[in-house]
Amino acid sequence: MSPQNHEQVVTQAVMNRYVNVEKTKRDVLTALQHYRGLGPKLDKFVFRSGTSRYLLCLEGTIPVTYKGSSYNIPICIWLLDNHPLSSPMVYVKPTPDMLIKASRHVDQNGKVYLPYLHEWNPNSSDLPGLIQIMIMTFSEMPPVYSKPKTAQPPGATPYPLPYPTSSPGYMPMPGGGPNMPYSPAQTGANTVYPPYPTQPSGYPPSSTPYPVYPPASTAGYPPSQPPTSYPPPYSAGGITYPPYPSTTSSVPTGATETSGVTGTSTTTSTGTITEEHIRASLISAVSDRVRAKLRDSYGGSQAEVSVLRQQQADLNQGKVKLEGLISKLEQEQTELDKNIRVLREKEGEIKNVLSRLSSATEPLNVDEAVTTTAPLYKQLLNAYAEDQATQDAIYYLGEALRRDVIDLDCFLKHVRSLSRKQYQLRATMIKCRAKGNMAG
């Protein structure tokens, strides 16, 4: 499928289905540009609860270099509709010629577990980074291995013919050559892929810790790493045979490679296994196991340290919030104590005034109850009182006119006189306020 077709499929898949359309489209197209073995498609995903949803998935193979040889590992990456807020779901989808090798990163159903997925960050994590981490992880611990081949009856076809709809990129079987891969199982047009790859009824006994299939073609992928000096040991029939040291010279045309249930052997120029070969094989096996254990221990420690650091950051943030709340409470407590002290002082003053008033023998003169501190304020107070009285007089004159107590001429005469007086009073109040620098 060409890049233009990829972009068209991705655009149709994310439109009206995904929350972040542009981010999802850009992330998927970047991953497809770097890894040409993957292809996009819209398919139905069935969750554990039984609900199903159409999601965009990247299905195909990624190149993995193991022990100097390049293999194509079949995977499927499902993107949730809120990508990249949620981490993708990654599965290993073995072909009919492969079996899943369960490990700390891949379970028996093929689901992939990685710290990169567990610590997925929408701002810094992306699909190319995820695929690169998978390539690095699978190069140390391959997730699949080929099925052991059964003995064929005499006269049988030595190689099974591929299905008509075979797709490139799948791993060829031993002895099959680079141009005779096994095709994936045929499915109908409406077949729905399950969320977990199908698990065979049982694994055949095998102690091979690494894939035994030969490398596939790596055209279009980055160059593989140079081969190591000694490949891992292989076993057959319960007997472990050490490998032969790899050489730079090419294998003669007459060299043959056979694989069956009873054993596996390789023809070399001498056909002799020396103690040096056995020693190198044991050292390689032990070093691999030690590295695996150290890697597991280091990964667990890193995960624990990351969790502890996150908890420490949360606790420090909570500490800052608590200190801010405590400081605010202390300020409010101080202000409240000050207000209580002022209220108690005012309460004492009121009690003193009440006791003095209650002990007075003369009746209280309302006009003399309110006093001013300066003549200007007294003039302002008197003008304001007369203004309010004039306003009341005008109001009652209006009520008398309405009830026909007085006639219109009398009403207009008195209202004209009161209005002139009210104007003078208000002018006096304005001058007093301006003189005393008061607002209003």
Side-chain angles (χ1 to χ4, degrees):
M1 186 181 297
S2 63
Q4 292 79 9
N5 294 335
H6 283 172
E7 184 174 359
Q8 183 178 3
V9 172
V10 172
T11 302
Q12 294 177 356
V14 301
M15 193 64 62
N16 299 327
R17 290 187 178 91
Y18 282 74
V19 178
N20 302 310
V21 176
E22 293 300 328
K23 289 184 178 180
T24 304
K25 180 180 177 181
R26 183 168 59 253
D27 195 10
V28 172
L29 293 180
T30 303
L32 295 176
Q33 182 180 2
H34 288 83
Y35 301 96
R36 303 297 178 87
L38 297 175
K41 75 172 184 177
L42 183 66
D43 207 343
K44 183 183 290 185
F45 184 88
V46 182
F47 295 89
R48 289 186 178 180
S49 60
T51 60
S52 60
R53 187 181 303 171
Y54 279 93
L55 300 176
L56 177 64
C57 69
L58 304 182
E59 189 175 13
T61 61
I62 56 175
V64 174
T65 301
Y66 177 73
K67 295 296 182 181
S69 301
S70 182
Y71 302 94
N72 291 328
I73 304 298
I75 63 168
C76 183
I77 304 176
W78 294 87
L79 306 181
L80 294 176
D81 53 5
N82 61 346
H83 183 83
L85 299 180
S86 297
S87 61
M89 298 176 292
V90 185
Y91 295 91
V92 176
K93 296 190 66 175
T95 63
D97 316 314
M98 305 176 191
L99 293 175
I100 295 176
K101 178 176 176 58
S103 64
R104 64 188 298 265
H105 297 299
V106 181
D107 61 12
Q108 295 182 352
N109 294 320
K111 187 172 183 179
V112 178
Y113 301 91
L114 293 172
Y116 192 83
L117 292 172
H118 180 69
E119 301 172 0
W120 181 269
N121 187 344
N123 299 323
S124 60
S125 302
D126 54 11
L127 292 178
L130 171 62
I131 298 174
Q132 187 64 29
I133 294 296
M134 292 171 57
I135 292 175
M136 295 173 60
T137 303
F138 292 163
S139 64
E140 299 175 354
M141 188 178 299
V144 292
Y145 62 95
S146 62
K147 290 182 179 179
K149 297 180 64 176
T150 57
Q152 297 181 351
T157 303
Y159 303 108
L161 296 177
Y163 290 100
T165 59
S166 62
S167 59
Y170 291 97
M171 286 177 272
M173 290 296 293
N179 298 322
M180 297 186 65
Y182 276 72
S183 63
Q186 292 181 346
T187 57
N190 298 325
T191 304
V192 178
Y193 284 96
Y196 296 95
T198 55
Q199 174 72 10
S201 58
Y203 293 130
S206 174
S207 60
T208 305
Y210 307 111
V212 296
Y213 36 80
S217 176
T218 59
Y221 298 119
S224 60
Q225 300 175 356
T228 55
S229 299
Y230 299 100
Y234 55 92
S235 61
I239 303 175
T240 302
Y241 297 93
Y244 296 119
S246 59
T247 59
T248 58
S249 61
S250 60
V251 180
T253 307
T256 60
E257 180 180 346
T258 61
S259 176
V261 177
T262 58
T264 304
S265 62
T266 305
T267 303
T268 62
S269 58
T270 59
T272 304
I273 301 175
T274 63
E275 293 182 358
E276 187 67 23
H277 296 164
I278 298 175
R279 180 175 176 274
S281 176
L282 292 176
I283 292 175
S284 176
V286 171
S287 62
D288 288 342
R289 297 200 62 177
V290 171
R291 279 196 295 267
K293 289 185 177 295
L294 289 177
R295 193 181 305 111
D296 294 343
S297 177
Y298 179 76
S301 301
Q302 287 292 103
E304 293 179 359
V305 169
S306 177
V307 172
L308 291 176
R309 287 178 178 174
Q310 183 64 32
Q311 291 179 353
Q312 182 182 8
D314 295 340
L315 291 175
N316 290 335
Q317 187 176 3
K319 178 183 177 182
V320 173
K321 291 182 179 180
L322 289 176
E323 290 177 351
L325 291 175
I326 292 174
S327 177
K328 185 177 180 180
L329 289 175
E330 290 178 352
Q331 294 177 359
E332 292 179 355
Q333 181 69 28
T334 304
E335 185 177 358
L336 182 60
D337 294 339
K338 181 180 179 181
N339 293 334
I340 291 175
R341 185 170 59 255
V342 173
L343 288 175
R344 287 177 178 174
E345 292 176 358
K346 296 298 181 181
E347 183 181 6
E349 294 178 2
I350 292 174
K351 288 181 179 180
N352 294 332
V353 173
L354 289 177
S355 62
R356 187 170 62 252
L357 292 177
S358 60
S359 62
T361 56
E362 298 179 358
L364 179 63
N365 188 358
V366 178
D367 294 333
E368 296 179 357
V370 179
T371 59
T372 58
T373 59
L376 179 65
Y377 299 153
K378 184 176 182 180
Q379 184 182 5
L380 179 62
L381 179 61
N382 294 333
Y384 180 79
E386 291 182 13
D387 176 61
Q388 295 299 316
T390 304
Q391 186 70 26
D392 293 341
I394 294 174
Y395 170 77
Y396 284 109
L397 284 173
E399 289 293 319
L401 178 63
R402 185 174 62 83
R403 297 179 182 181
D404 295 332
V405 176
I406 59 175
D407 56 3
L408 181 61
D409 294 338
C410 182
F411 171 77
L412 294 176
K413 179 181 179 182
H414 288 84
V415 167
R416 188 182 301 111
S417 175
L418 292 174
S419 298
R420 186 180 299 109
K421 183 178 180 181
Q422 188 180 32
Y423 174 78
Q424 294 175 354
L425 292 172
R426 291 186 178 180
T428 302
M429 286 191 294
I430 293 175
K431 291 182 179 179
C432 290
R433 289 194 179 97
K435 191 68 174 179
N437 295 326
M438 291 181 290

